[in-house]
Amino acid sequence: MLIGSSLFSVGLEIFLVPNNIIDGGIVGISIIISHLTHLPLGLFLVLLNLPFLLLGYKQIGKTFAFSTLFSVIIMSIGSTLLHPVQAITIDPLLAAVFGGIILGIGVGLVIRSGGSLDGTEIVAILFSKKSPFSVGEIVMFFNLFILGSAGFVFGWDHAMYSLIAYYIAFRMIDITIEGLDQSKSVWIISDESEQIGDAIAHRLGRGVTYLKGEGAFTGDDKKVIFSVITRLEEAKLKSIVDELDPKAFLAVGNIHDVKGGRFKKKDIH
């Protein structure tokens, strides 16, 4: 959380703020108000987040609230200390791209550690419980409104640069949370299930679980193979399945996190 919050401050004060580019959420609102009032950005980062932190403490949990408070305070201190530092670039496109990358990594690290850097996420979590919209959709609605407001304050060119920075940060958050070596779940239904399972275990070095299934149309008993692999092993697994049973049913899906079991890499052969 310390590293993530510090990186976020760098992205803000060294890239975005000097180029009049904003982020979404409470941070974006804080940048706009700071620009209009000429008061320190760090002050608004704490003040505007406090009501949402109290709400999060009551509705979500004290661990999350305290983790978020710690992250916000570090972000505020970092922003205050870095404000006098000269921007690395005055090119708004470069600032949007690299600022978005650094912001996204910072937010991702904080989220992975169990905290948050923005109060709108807390509101979105609470709203999602009583509405048909997901947390992501609610956050997106808030942020589109906030980023659109930047057009009236900084000009529409800077509002569009802000959208670029926001999108890049959004993607970097996913990469930071999930990791570059993304895991995938594999479901295979085949008459040669034991052969395929053995090949996955010995040639990919992955654990295999057999599940009992029943065909809805035929009523036949089926043995379903379940395993977890990395993205880089997907092509090899497909070649194994095609080699042993070209007619096998294969489904592959993304997994955000894997813990325990035999998820230890062995050599592919």
Side-chain angles (χ1 to χ4, degrees):
M1 286 188 288
L2 176 64
I3 295 171
S5 304
S6 300
L7 282 175
F8 192 92
S9 303
V10 171
L12 273 185
E13 292 291 354
I14 304 299
F15 290 93
L16 300 191
V17 173
N19 289 281
N20 291 328
I21 299 172
I22 73 169
D23 186 32
I26 299 300
V27 175
I29 296 174
S30 299
I31 293 173
I32 292 174
I33 296 177
S34 175
H35 176 79
L36 295 175
T37 61
H38 303 291
L39 293 173
L41 172 61
L43 174 66
F44 295 107
L45 290 174
V46 174
L47 290 180
L48 296 183
N49 271 301
L50 278 178
F52 301 106
L53 289 174
L54 292 174
L55 192 62
Y57 179 84
K58 294 180 179 179
Q59 301 293 331
I60 300 176
K62 64 179 181 180
T63 302
F64 174 79
F66 282 126
S67 298
T68 302
L69 177 62
F70 172 80
S71 301
V72 168
I73 290 174
I74 295 299
M75 174 179 64
S76 176
I77 294 172
S79 174
T80 303
L81 294 175
L82 291 171
H83 187 71
V85 178
Q86 186 176 0
I88 289 178
T89 178
I90 57 172
D91 184 318
L93 181 58
L94 289 175
V97 171
F98 286 95
I101 291 172
I102 295 173
L103 252 65
I105 294 173
V107 174
L109 289 173
V110 171
I111 292 175
R112 284 189 64 162
S113 303
S116 175
L117 282 171
D118 199 289
T120 54
E121 294 173 4
I122 299 173
V123 176
I125 291 170
L126 299 178
F127 265 109
S128 67
K129 295 178 180 178
K130 299 181 180 180
S131 73
F133 301 106
S134 68
V135 174
E137 289 170 339
I138 296 170
V139 170
M140 182 65 73
F141 173 78
F142 280 132
N143 287 335
L144 286 177
F145 175 77
I146 294 165
L147 293 169
S149 302
F152 296 99
V153 179
F154 300 114
W156 294 107
D157 285 351
H158 291 279
M160 287 186 279
Y161 285 126
S162 297
L163 281 171
I164 293 173
Y166 174 73
Y167 175 77
I168 293 173
F170 183 79
R171 298 307 306 162
M172 287 305 301
I173 291 171
D174 285 344
I175 292 173
T176 304
I177 293 174
E178 297 172 8
L180 292 171
D181 197 17
Q182 190 179 52
S183 300
K184 291 180 175 289
S185 61
V186 180
W187 304 81
I188 305 169
I189 302 175
S190 169
D191 293 331
E192 308 294 336
S193 55
E194 291 190 7
Q195 282 185 276
I196 295 174
D198 288 342
I200 294 172
H202 293 98
R203 292 167 63 180
L204 283 182
R206 293 302 183 191
V208 174
T209 299
Y210 294 113
L211 307 173
K212 292 182 179 180
E214 181 181 333
F217 182 72
T218 63
D220 295 339
D221 291 335
K222 297 286 185 181
K223 186 176 284 188
V224 182
I225 302 169
F226 174 75
S227 187
V228 176
I229 61 173
T230 67
R231 179 180 57 185
L232 301 178
E233 295 166 341
E234 184 178 351
K236 180 64 176 178
L237 178 128
K238 288 180 178 178
S239 70
I240 290 173
V241 175
D242 287 338
E243 173 190 330
L244 298 175
D245 185 3
K247 296 181 180 179
F249 172 82
L250 171 65
V252 181
N254 293 329
I255 294 181
H256 293 299
D257 195 15
V258 177
K259 295 181 70 176
R262 286 187 58 204
F263 200 67
K264 295 288 187 179
K265 184 74 183 77
K266 292 183 180 179
D267 293 336
I268 295 176
H269 58 87

